[in-house]
Amino acid sequence: MLSLFFTGLSHFWRRHRRKILLSAGFLGGGYLLYNTYNAHKRSLADLERNLARQREHEDLIKAQMQTHFENIQRIADTTTLPHVIQYLSDRITEDLDLSDVTEKLRKGKLQPSTMTPLHKVELWDRLKILSFTRMVVSLWATTVLTLYIRVQVNVLGRHLYVDTARSLETSPVTEDLDLIDRNDEQKFLTSADFLASDGLPILISNMQAAVTECLKGKQLGDLFNTKMLCETVTQILHVFMSTGSPHQWVDCVMPKDGKKQATASGSDAILLGTTKFDQLMIEVRSVLLSWEFSRIMDTCLQLVVDEIGAEVTGGSLTRGIVLARLVPRVAQMGPSLFEEPSENRFMKMIQSAAEVELFFTLLYSNMPTSWTSSSEH
């Protein structure tokens, strides 16, 4: 009986072997495919959960960074910039005081016999040089400081973003992160006072030399229209910016200690043997030395020059105004550049320029490597 069963089974196998093998292969393949599909589905689910957690993590980083960055921006706009501008205005008024010259000219007008014609011409020439020097120093300093403080805020903001991201990713128990503390922040932002406290004497000296050179030969009876005045101021700025070594003007804005070199490694700039404050100052100097910043600074200076030229001359495009009448207007233009930042149309014009907004967007996203590399050329 058993032999008949095996004989029948053997006969069945011989007749249906192909179908059995195909069916087994199909079932085995289906089972394997099912398991593969389930594994892939689980992997996708895990990936989606990981991506969701990563998005939540990134959103948290961005929210914390944005809050801190907005606080820094607000401090810069409402505290740092107004303080720096007021301090600078007081220093320029003190160092480029016109009252002594104007008082002598006033007395000479009231008592002509007390002043020789030569002395009067000398006083007017001195007033001309001092007036233009004060206006162009004010123009240059206001423009550069407005941009400089924006550079500070963007460099600091980028570091805050990186530090916030690292602090959320790293356990404070396992790693001691080198974060920017509040003292470094304050020290870094208050370094904007350097121009008024230390850099102003050399700025005034070099600018006065440029003014003297560009106004040489221009008489008080010469006519100036808007175009001529703008061209004269632009020429003064060009001579000043070309004085001395390349980028010498940077030393008027920030300490020379910021010249420490950075060495690039991978995608980040590794600054060896420096503190966080040092690193921030190095990166700011790198921006100021870059071609991109020079281009933006030139653009902003020209915007302010054009605005001032039209205001001083009253928009006179034809015959013009004699220089003797223009000098008092030029003298009064300097203080108007130092109005409260929230009401200062020159600062608002600089900050709202499309080129400026794009520059700082790129600066915030690309520091430090793209700017440090461009500053080397």
Side-chain angles (χ1 to χ4, degrees):
M1 190 70 179
L2 188 59
S3 62
L4 288 175
F5 172 76
F6 281 110
T7 299
L9 185 61
S10 177
H11 179 70
F12 179 82
W13 169 255
R14 284 195 301 269
R15 289 187 59 188
H16 300 286
R17 179 175 58 184
R18 182 178 179 84
K19 294 179 180 179
I20 294 173
L21 291 175
L22 287 175
S23 298
F26 178 77
L27 291 173
Y31 179 75
L32 180 61
L33 183 62
Y34 175 77
N35 284 341
T36 303
Y37 170 76
N38 275 344
H40 179 66
K41 189 175 180 180
R42 286 194 299 270
S43 297
L44 286 177
D46 291 340
L47 179 60
E48 288 178 357
R49 283 193 294 271
N50 290 335
L51 289 174
R53 284 195 295 268
Q54 184 176 349
R55 283 193 295 268
E56 291 176 0
H57 181 68
E58 290 175 352
D59 289 343
L60 179 60
I61 292 175
K62 289 178 181 178
Q64 293 192 7
M65 181 278 297
Q66 186 67 26
T67 299
H68 201 170
F69 181 68
E70 287 175 355
N71 289 337
I72 295 298
Q73 185 74 63
R74 185 168 56 254
I75 290 171
D77 290 341
T78 62
T79 304
T80 306
L81 186 57
H83 164 75
V84 170
I85 290 298
Q86 183 59 54
Y87 181 31
L88 182 62
S89 176
D90 293 341
R91 286 296 313 277
I92 289 176
T93 300
E94 179 183 341
D95 292 358
L96 289 170
D97 185 16
L98 307 179
S99 60
D100 181 57
V101 179
T102 55
E103 180 62 22
K104 288 180 179 179
L105 285 171
R106 189 185 68 82
K107 288 183 178 180
K109 184 177 180 179
L110 295 175
Q111 302 174 349
S113 60
T114 62
M115 183 179 297
T116 65
L118 179 60
H119 188 205
K120 184 177 180 180
V121 170
E122 289 176 347
L123 286 174
W124 267 104
D125 190 62
R126 185 181 174 192
L127 180 63
K128 175 185 69 176
I129 298 299
L130 286 175
S131 297
F132 270 85
T133 300
R134 186 161 82 166
M135 183 187 74
V136 183
V137 164
S138 301
L139 182 160
W140 187 89
T142 299
T143 302
V144 173
L145 269 182
T146 301
L147 295 172
Y148 176 76
I149 290 174
R150 291 284 173 180
V151 170
Q152 281 190 310
V153 170
N154 278 271
V155 170
L156 179 59
R158 186 181 186 281
H159 275 268
L160 292 173
Y161 175 83
V162 173
D163 287 350
T164 302
R166 288 176 177 171
S167 66
L168 291 174
E169 292 174 354
T170 308
S171 170
V173 176
T174 58
E175 183 175 344
D176 183 18
L177 292 174
D178 184 20
L179 302 178
I180 301 173
D181 61 32
R182 298 292 179 179
N183 289 333
D184 278 342
E185 281 186 17
Q186 185 176 7
K187 182 181 177 183
F188 177 61
L189 292 174
T190 55
S191 66
D193 279 337
F194 180 84
L195 173 58
S197 60
D198 297 276
L200 190 59
I202 187 65
L203 171 61
I204 290 176
S205 176
N206 289 345
M207 194 69 78
Q208 186 164 328
V211 168
T212 302
E213 178 180 338
C214 295
L215 294 184
K216 184 170 53 180
K218 297 188 183 299
Q219 305 301 319
L220 293 173
D222 292 347
L223 292 173
F224 273 74
N225 58 23
T226 302
K227 181 180 179 182
M228 292 173 61
L229 179 60
C230 290
E231 288 177 349
T232 300
V233 175
T234 300
Q235 182 186 10
I236 292 169
L237 290 170
H238 175 72
V239 172
F240 165 73
M241 296 295 285
S242 303
T243 301
S245 59
H247 299 102
Q248 57 80 29
W249 59 268
V250 176
D251 294 334
C252 296
V253 181
M254 63 184 302
K256 292 183 180 181
D257 292 343
K259 289 183 177 178
K260 296 176 183 178
Q261 296 297 312
T263 57
S265 175
S267 60
D268 295 319
I270 307 301
L271 305 176
L272 303 176
T274 60
T275 64
K276 272 290 185 178
F277 170 77
D278 292 330
Q279 185 174 350
L280 291 169
M281 296 296 286
I282 290 168
E283 291 186 13
V284 169
R285 178 173 282 270
S286 295
V287 175
L288 267 57
L289 294 177
S290 70
W291 174 85
E292 293 89 346
F293 185 83
S294 295
R295 179 175 58 83
I296 288 297
M297 185 170 66
D298 290 344
T299 298
C300 293
L301 285 171
Q302 196 58 56
L303 286 173
V304 179
V305 168
D306 292 343
E307 184 76 10
I308 286 177
E311 182 167 334
V312 171
T313 62
S316 176
L317 301 173
T318 54
R319 188 170 180 272
I321 305 171
V322 293
L323 184 56
R325 291 181 57 194
L326 203 64
V327 166
R329 299 186 186 185
V330 168
Q332 290 300 316
M333 199 65 228
S336 69
L337 285 156
F338 294 111
E339 292 178 351
E340 172 67 28
S342 62
E343 301 175 358
N344 192 312
R345 69 183 187 282
F346 300 105
M347 293 182 188
K348 290 181 178 179
M349 182 172 57
I350 292 168
Q351 294 170 349
S352 62
E355 301 95 324
V356 173
E357 291 180 350
L358 177 60
F359 170 80
F360 285 114
T361 298
L362 295 175
L363 169 63
Y364 185 74
S365 60
N366 291 344
M367 273 296 292
T369 53
S370 63
W371 296 91
T372 54
S373 60
S374 66
S375 67
E376 295 170 359
H377 295 293

